[in-house]
Amino acid sequence: MKSSIISLFSSVFLPVYLSAQTPTLTHVFDIRAEIGQPINGVQNPHGVRVTIPITGGEVTGKVEGKVIPGGADYQLVNPDQQRSELQAIYTIMTNDSVAIHVCNEGINRFAPDDSYFMTSPKFECDINSPYNWLNNRIFVCRPVGFEQNAITLRVWMAE
């Protein structure tokens, strides 16, 4: 049994490790999320909880569709550390009527000498849809545009 497990590991996983190269990023689409007024929270043991409603938007690129109203960006703001932890949860409805659940988590460091804003979205959709590839890849994104009531995120796929 032990040799069978080692053999399986070697035949399936070892070639991947031996062929590992530095990942590359490929731009796949942009998400323009429309947002409502932040709901400011109170101080809690971890910082200040702020909820920003997601009220709509659009997706353009390899995925085309609309951001469905009803999601939110849940931020845990720590002014002393000059950073926020972000978790946005919402749904994209593609132009061909496939629902894609999005959970996008990341960090916004807003220190004047050390700014950083990067997130890693996870996508869930029907495995029988043309978007199944979203279920099986790692993605990163960052903002590329801010408007008064919207943010545009550029999404890259890691290969």
Side-chain angles (χ1 to χ4, degrees), residues 10-21:
S10 297
S11 66
V12 174
F13 298 107
L14 194 55
V16 173
Y17 288 112
L18 294 177
S19 67
Q21 298 178 0

Side-chain angles (χ1 to χ4, degrees), residues 1 18 54 77 79 120:
M1 176 74 169
L18 294 177
I54 297 174
V77 181
S120 182

